[in-house]
Amino acid sequence: MTAERQTAQNDTQLPASVGDSTPGASGVAALDRAFSILFAFRPGDYALTLAELAARTGLYKSTILRLAGSLIQHRMLFRLEDGRYQIGAAPLMLGALYQRSMRLADVVLPHMRALAEATGEAVSLYIRERDVRVCLHRVDSNHSIRDHVREGDVLPLERGSGGRVLCAFSGMQGATYDAIRRDYYYVSIGERDRETVGLSVPVFGAQQALRGALCLAGPASRIDGALLQSWRAPVLEHAAQITSTLGGDPAPLRAAAQLISKP
């Protein structure tokens, strides 16, 4: 009898909390443990041994063996001839379905509305189109005096906070853009329009592809520099949440927000 088969048989002797034999709660517990196996894989991993999976998940090897059988059956995992495990083909298929079904508006508009409500100012999402930027989505301020931009409007790329952020994360060189890539935000005061101030941050998708610039803007008569600076961390956090939903890595945006929030 092999060591793995013996271990699997011994699993019936484990407590219910490990062996998932408790009626009712067992299904959820098994799912949680199965997901912990999948998420044990990290960028750069080629394959993991049973011992490595046990160390990363905290699960018994016997529990991993049992759950791995189901994951392999559903192509979530793949077992190599040497006994190591790889992520299977099914997650790639599910990821492709997710990307095809994901509508950008469904993701960004709730965050834009939340920011507009919290600040009282207009929020826009700009994308780059060659040498200009286009307002893709817009939530207006309720104030009669506000930054007047509509969805579909075309604006300069190298003026204003939204354009500067798009330039920076599209590879534009220069000290200004180096600072934006370091800080993950840009504040403009009277740059595109002398009566308008703006704060913009990037939004990323899968493989950290730039999806747009999230911009909070309003009239200089109502927004001073100090108020605009205080909005940096909340805007960065919303951008991080959007990025996470779109399949990007929110860590750099959250790190920038935490750095701002430090006393």
Side-chain angles (χ1 to χ4, degrees):
M1 182 180 293
T2 65
E4 287 188 356
R5 186 177 301 171
Q6 180 65 52
T7 305
Q9 288 185 356
N10 290 342
D11 189 44
T12 59
Q13 304 171 9
L14 295 173
S17 61
V18 175
D20 303 328
S21 60
T22 303
S26 61
V28 175
L31 278 173
D32 287 341
R33 292 185 172 106
F35 284 131
S36 74
I37 293 170
L38 294 174
F39 287 106
F41 289 85
R42 301 166 185 165
D45 285 338
Y46 171 69
L48 296 178
T49 65
L50 182 61
E52 288 172 326
L53 285 171
R56 292 188 183 184
T57 62
L59 299 175
Y60 288 118
K61 292 180 182 179
S62 55
T63 302
I64 295 173
L65 283 171
R66 186 182 65 256
L67 294 173
S70 294
L71 291 170
I72 290 169
Q73 181 180 352
H74 292 283
R75 296 184 299 139
M76 302 298 289
L77 275 185
F78 180 77
R79 190 172 186 268
L80 300 173
E81 290 183 355
D82 62 6
R84 292 181 299 164
Y85 296 91
Q86 291 179 324
I87 293 292
L92 178 62
M93 178 192 70
L94 293 173
L97 288 172
Y98 174 79
Q99 287 186 329
R100 287 197 295 270
S101 64
M102 177 61 65
R103 295 198 310 167
L104 188 60
D106 293 338
V107 178
V108 301
L109 283 174
H111 290 279
M112 293 173 64
R113 294 188 189 106
L115 279 171
E117 183 177 351
T119 64
E121 302 302 337
V123 183
S124 305
L125 183 77
Y126 292 101
I127 59 171
R128 180 172 181 171
E129 290 288 349
R130 296 185 180 181
D131 295 328
V132 296
R133 58 178 162 128
V134 178
C135 179
L136 186 63
H137 298 295
R138 172 81 172 187
V139 176
D140 273 323
S141 165
N142 290 325
H143 295 289
S144 57
I145 299 176
R146 60 178 184 257
D147 173 44
H148 288 280
V149 175
R150 295 172 297 179
E151 292 182 355
D153 281 359
V154 177
L155 300 177
L157 186 62
E158 295 187 51
R159 294 199 306 275
S161 64
R164 295 285 192 179
V165 164
L166 291 173
C167 285
F169 291 95
S170 297
M172 191 79 76
Q173 298 301 306
T176 297
Y177 301 114
D178 290 340
I180 296 172
R181 285 187 285 268
R182 180 196 67 219
D183 299 333
Y184 281 85
Y185 72 88
Y186 183 78
V187 172
S188 68
I189 300 176
E191 191 172 300
R192 178 181 63 83
D193 181 319
R194 67 176 185 171
E195 301 298 330
T196 302
V197 298
L199 163 66
S200 292
V201 302
V203 169
F204 302 100
Q207 299 182 343
Q208 224 53 7
L210 179 65
R211 295 298 301 270
L214 188 65
C215 178
L216 178 67
S221 59
R222 189 167 59 242
I223 307 172
D224 60 20
L227 182 59
L228 201 59
Q229 295 287 332
S230 72
W231 290 338
R232 293 175 299 169
V235 175
L236 281 164
E237 177 55 32
H238 278 281
Q241 293 178 32
I242 293 170
T243 293
S244 180
T245 305
L246 293 175
D249 181 8
L253 291 159
R254 291 209 164 106
Q258 289 172 1
L259 189 63
I260 290 168
S261 300
K262 286 183 178 179

